[in-house]
Amino acid sequence: MDYFKNLLDVLKIEREEDRNQYRRQTESTSVAERRASGLTWYPIAIRGSEMSRGDYLTVEVERTTHQDVSHQFRSGMPAVFFSNHDPKNDRVEGTVSHQSGNRLKITLLTDELPDWSRDGKLGVELLFDDKSYDEMQDALKLANSLNEGPQHRLVKILTGQSSPTFQTDLPPLPIPPLNESQNRAVEKIRAANELAIVHGPPGTGKTTTLVQAIKALLKQDNRKILVVAPSNTAVDLLSEKLHEQGLNVLRVGNPARVSERLMALTLDHKMAEHHLMKEAKKLKKQANEFKNMAHKYKRNFGKAERDQRKALFDEAHRIMKEVGNTEQYIIDDLVAKAQVITATLVGSNQYMIRNLTFHTVVIDEAGQALEPACWIPILKAQKVVLAGDHCQLSPTIKSNEAARKGLSTTLLEKCVALHPEAVSVLEEQYRMHTHIMGYSSQVFYANVLKAHASVAAHSLFPGDSALRFIDTAGCGFDEKLEGTSSTNPEEAALLMKHLTQLVAELGPFYSPQNFPSIAIISPYKQQLAVLNEQLAHAPDLQPYLGKIAVNTIDSFQGQERDIVYISMTRSNAEGEIGFLADIRRMNVAMTRARKKLVIVGDSATLASLPFYADFIAYSEQLDAYQSAWEWL
């Protein structure tokens, strides 16, 4: 069928572009540059090693300098252990099996440490992640072959060839803490035979709703549920919330946040606590001792030593096989007892759960998930629940061609259009003042959003307005181009001036400890540098730096702040607004604010797009429009 053939084609284009970008990042760069871009830990020290499954060696390493440099290492990623004396030859490939803080474990495709590892100058480096692409590709091929047979209803529904069905005779089970639209969503999820969709606009309590729905499904029939999301952060959040509800949660993979609570849910931790593990540990130790003894027989020895060495290796292998069997038994036992298994989309194919099937799979943040990755967990289930908001950020795609040819359209978007009868919209939001919420609701959510009474009129202090558009048109604040990114230093200065004044007004109402949280957002990376520079030189703002975060829109996805400033940056005679035309991204930026949203921009440039022209009209109706002239 063309549906999956097209997806396979665009996935291939994306893989090529991703690989080329990786190549450009690594081939001609020094180890210091790769370290700075988060691909390499160097130098590292070995902190321990042990045998692991299939006679491979797992080595624990620690980075000894540059410990504050952010990096991209996550469990499950392919990596290489190398020596910088001769990095082309002295290298062994493997997989990151665990990462936390400044330590990581890498399982190497060898059963002993190479000799060069004793000479120092060691590092680990991420390899291009072909494995994730292979998993996605395999899932699409499998979906395609299932689609050709009559048996897989779910594939036919998700690709629009047939319609989802619902049970009509379920007695309602209202859940008291949930509001009316949240309860409707839970009812829809319970009644669905194949597909239910929860559309959760900003601040509407999507996670809370999902957690209650999962509890309700388990009450209905106690079949284990697979819960997945595209990012580790989203998986962590759900894992914690489900655990707080008293469910037995098994987190497969490596959490992004290292908290005691989360660690206790992981397979590693649960295995370590298992009563059979003592025995396996003892055996493992014994196998390691036999191996070490075998290594004492160096290369130059006679037949007797060679036989002895072989006997010791054979014995170590035999014991490790036994350890493997015990560990597999423990894993099966833990998986059997879990009510909910949580993982990332690609992580849902890790060896411990690869062959499991589930009645229901829940995909959260489905608006940010690549469709090919969604098919990995979907094929394990009869029923799927998609939750997310296709009016916020879509997935990050490296290839413009792949995006253009359809990879940027998510399965969530397609299903909302194909099967409106499966969709429940959450209508009550608990974050924003009505005026902040209003424009987003009008443009993206058919005006159905209502603000909960607790937030509808909340403000920073009595009489403060929740919304401001400060118009720099006619001020001559022209944008500048730095590299490929725009900046606008004068707009940044105006923003800082406004913020300084606001902070002064807030002074009488708040102590520095309970001061409102502030986000300063710009879509342009270089403008952030300008804003940070100016913030550092704003004397009246220094006491509040702990409360102020300056960052891109993407980094605030899923978060909220009391006060949000947005520096629109673009200002030119041609009315060119570049990627400000991505109004879904703007929706995310505007809906981060709880009590006050201040947008600084040039109406003459912005109004070339109806979205901004209408927003300016909206702010005028609310008396929230101000010309920078009167303000200067």
Side-chain angles (χ1 to χ4, degrees), residues 130 138 161 191 193 259 290 313 346 356 446 471 478 507 519 573 612:
D130 263 314
D138 292 348
Q161 302 165 75
N193 293 318
S259 70
F290 280 136
F313 269 131
V346 177
L356 290 186
D471 187 0
D478 291 343
Y612 295 112

Side-chain angles (χ1 to χ4, degrees), residues 207-421:
T207 306
T208 308
T209 308
L210 277 186
V211 167
Q212 292 299 336
I214 290 164
K215 266 178 83 172
L217 287 173
L218 286 164
K219 209 174 269 165
Q220 203 165 302
D221 62 25
N222 200 13
R223 288 186 281 199
K224 76 166 89 293
I225 294 175
L226 176 63
V227 177
V228 290
S231 70
N232 273 305
T233 319
V235 178
D236 290 351
L237 177 67
L238 274 165
S239 305
E240 278 191 318
K241 297 273 188 240
L242 290 161
H243 171 66
E244 280 164 19
Q245 292 290 324
L247 299 176
N248 182 338
V249 179
L250 178 62
R251 166 75 161 98
V252 173
N254 201 4
R257 287 206 318 272
V258 187
S259 70
E260 293 293 311
R261 279 212 309 274
L262 263 173
M263 282 306 172
L265 306 179
T266 59
L267 186 65
D268 286 350
H269 188 276
K270 289 189 175 201
M271 285 180 74
E273 303 280 283
H274 198 280
H275 65 278
L276 291 173
M277 206 55 196
K278 266 209 187 76
E279 185 52 31
K281 269 207 161 116
K282 244 185 4 218
L283 286 169
K284 217 180 217 176
K285 205 171 149 200
Q286 210 180 343
N288 273 314
E289 280 164 7
F290 280 136
K291 278 200 105 154
N292 292 338
M293 280 159 65
H295 285 307
K296 295 223 171 69
Y297 295 98
K298 273 287 178 249
R299 307 276 182 278
N300 48 353
F301 44 69
K303 184 179 181 317
E305 287 90 345
R306 221 177 0 254
D307 291 348
Q308 184 62 21
R309 177 180 161 115
K310 186 178 176 322
L312 287 166
F313 269 131
D314 288 348
E315 187 54 18
H317 283 291
R318 193 191 60 72
I319 295 172
M320 280 311 287
K321 211 175 195 128
E322 205 176 316
V323 170
N325 293 341
T326 307
E327 286 185 348
Q328 194 53 55
Y329 177 83
I330 295 172
I331 290 169
D332 294 344
D333 185 44
L334 291 170
V335 167
K337 290 194 173 111
Q339 292 170 287
V340 182
I341 291 179
T342 62
T344 58
L345 297 167
V346 177
S348 66
N349 236 5
Q350 292 203 26
Y351 72 90
M352 43 308 230
I353 56 172
R354 165 160 277 181
N355 301 319
L356 290 186
T357 54
F358 299 84
H359 184 264
T360 303
V361 58
V362 176
I363 303 182
D364 191 18
E365 297 298 355
Q368 284 194 280
L370 281 181
E371 178 174 353
C374 290
W375 285 99
I376 300 171
I378 287 171
L379 295 177
K380 300 178 185 300
Q382 294 162 41
K383 164 172 165 176
V384 64
V385 178
L386 297 174
D389 181 7
H390 50 288
C391 306
Q392 291 187 57
L393 292 180
S394 47
T396 311
I397 292 168
K398 305 252 165 76
S399 155
N400 294 334
E401 186 190 350
R404 208 176 46 249
K405 289 187 170 168
L407 191 60
S408 60
T409 309
T410 58
L411 186 63
L412 176 70
E413 252 175 294
K414 292 179 186 176
C415 288
V416 166
L418 286 169
H419 306 302
E421 72 278 22

Side-chain angles (χ1 to χ4, degrees), residues 2 41 62 151 191 195 288 349 419 578 599 623:
D2 285 350
W41 280 13
E62 182 173 17
Q151 72 280 42
L195 173 68
N288 273 314
N349 236 5
H419 306 302
I599 297 181
D623 205 20

Side-chain angles (χ1 to χ4, degrees), residues 431-444:
R431 175 185 299 163
M432 297 165 270
H433 185 289
T434 309
H435 292 172
I436 298 174
M437 169 199 86
Y439 188 63
S440 175
S441 178
Q442 186 181 305
V443 176
F444 295 99

Side-chain angles (χ1 to χ4, degrees), residues 13-19 21-22 24-25 72 128 133 370 395-403 407:
I13 296 169
E14 173 71 0
R15 184 197 286 229
E16 282 308 306
E17 176 56 31
D18 197 358
R19 188 186 277 122
Q21 286 186 19
Y22 175 83
R24 284 197 293 276
Q25 244 188 323
Q72 303 173 39
F128 179 69
Y133 283 103
L370 281 181
T396 311
I397 292 168
K398 305 252 165 76
S399 155
N400 294 334
E401 186 190 350
L407 191 60

